[in-house]
């Protein structure tokens, strides 16, 4: 559904609640719609019979159905837009435009619909790559990243000691396993070299 479809409003006859059946057609961007077939259409059209807003002063409300689109923000950086939307929203963030490898991954992700698994898988991967890119960018600017702080180790120590201990244990197990694997591989290469010489 496009934004223009959001502008669907009952005709003046329907709004007044006087004779809904005499004018059941509403014109939309997709063509005319027979609102008499839509269950509940115009149930809130009668402003005098609106129990959900009994406390509300609606005397100044605009029930004309006219809507003027607000001024759109103009992009000054690259924006990635879903294939499911024809136009940009009125406002959007510009603080982190796509760049480098993570940007390429995000551009690729936006070739697919939001209902496709590749869209989200690529975006999640791009977030991880972007984290590494941030570390490289810090080092390039002679800024030593405070990795424990950025990973929230202090907060985890305060609020989730058990989870932090589990993460440290898993990291130690993986590191220890890689160390043992590299040592055993080195020994195998030494043994092979001795056999070839002897």
């Amino acid at each position: 559904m496009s934004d223009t479809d959001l502008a669907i409003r009952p005709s003046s006859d329907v709004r007044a609640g006087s004779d809904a059946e005499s004018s059941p057609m509403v014109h939309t961007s997709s063509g005319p719609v027979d609102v008499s077939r839509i269950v509940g259409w115009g149930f809130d059209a009668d402003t005098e019979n609106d129990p959900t807003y009994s406390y509300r002063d609606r005397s100044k409300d605009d029930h004309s159905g006219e809507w003027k689109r607000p001024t759109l923000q103009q992009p000054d950086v690259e924006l990635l837009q879903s294939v499911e939307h024809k136009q940009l929203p009125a406002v959007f963030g510009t603080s982190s435009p796509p760049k480098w490898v993570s940007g390429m991954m995000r551009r690729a992700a936006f070739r697919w619909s939001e209902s496709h698994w590749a869209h989200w898988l690529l975006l999640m991967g791009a977030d991880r790559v972007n984290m590494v890119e941030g570390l490289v960018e810090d080092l390039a600017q002679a800024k030593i990243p405070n990795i424990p702080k950025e990973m929230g180790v202090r907060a985890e120590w305060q609020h989730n000691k058990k989870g932090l201990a589990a993460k440290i244990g898993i990291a130690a197990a993986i590191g220890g396993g890689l160390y043992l694997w590299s040592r055993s591989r080195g020994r195998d290469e030494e043994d092979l070299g001795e056999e070839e010489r002897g």
Side-chain angles (χ1 to χ4, degrees), residues 78 80-81 83 98 100-113 116 118-123 126:
E78 179 185 1
L80 298 175
Q81 185 175 345
V83 296
W100 301 340
V101 176
S102 62
M104 293 168 61
M105 293 173 71
R106 289 193 171 104
R107 287 184 198 102
F110 276 86
R111 292 179 187 164
W112 282 287
S113 163
H116 198 280
H119 176 84
W120 299 108
L121 199 62
L122 277 168
L123 288 180

Side-chain angles (χ1 to χ4, degrees), residues 22-145:
S22 65
S23 181
M25 301 301 289
V26 170
H27 295 278
T28 69
S29 59
S30 304
V33 174
D34 182 3
V35 295
S36 65
R37 294 183 178 192
I38 301 174
V39 178
W41 177 265
F43 75 96
D44 58 348
D46 183 4
T47 57
E48 301 301 319
N49 183 21
D50 190 354
T52 57
Y53 293 99
S54 54
Y55 56 89
R56 188 175 171 189
D57 178 11
R58 304 187 72 163
S59 59
K60 296 179 182 175
D61 287 356
D62 179 12
H63 294 278
S64 66
E66 300 294 327
W67 181 75
K68 186 176 180 182
R69 189 176 178 84
T71 305
L72 300 180
Q73 179 181 354
Q74 296 301 314
D76 55 358
V77 297
E78 179 185 1
L79 296 177
L80 298 175
Q81 185 175 345
S82 170
V83 296
E84 297 170 5
H85 299 284
K86 290 190 284 187
Q87 57 194 23
L88 292 172
V91 292
F92 43 79
T94 58
S95 62
S96 49
K99 62 182 180 179
W100 301 340
V101 176
S102 62
M104 293 168 61
M105 293 173 71
R106 289 193 171 104
R107 287 184 198 102
F110 276 86
R111 292 179 187 164
W112 282 287
S113 163
E114 293 172 8
S115 63
H116 198 280
W117 61 269
H119 176 84
W120 299 108
L121 199 62
L122 277 168
L123 288 180
M124 287 192 294
D127 285 346
R128 303 316 183 264
V129 171
N130 189 233
M131 184 189 73
V132 176
E133 290 172 343
L135 294 175
V136 173
E137 192 174 13
D138 284 347
L139 293 173
Q141 296 171 355
K143 181 179 172 184
I144 305 299

Side-chain angles (χ1 to χ4, degrees), residues 134-157:
L135 294 175
V136 173
E137 192 174 13
D138 284 347
L139 293 173
Q141 296 171 355
K143 181 179 172 184
I144 305 299
N146 188 346
I147 294 177
K149 184 178 180 183
E150 292 180 8
M151 292 182 69
V153 171
R154 188 174 177 184
E156 285 234 42
W157 177 252

Side-chain angles (χ1 to χ4, degrees), residues 156 160-174:
E156 285 234 42
N160 186 19
K161 289 179 182 159
K162 198 173 181 181
L164 179 62
K167 289 177 184 175
I168 291 173
I170 291 170
I174 293 173

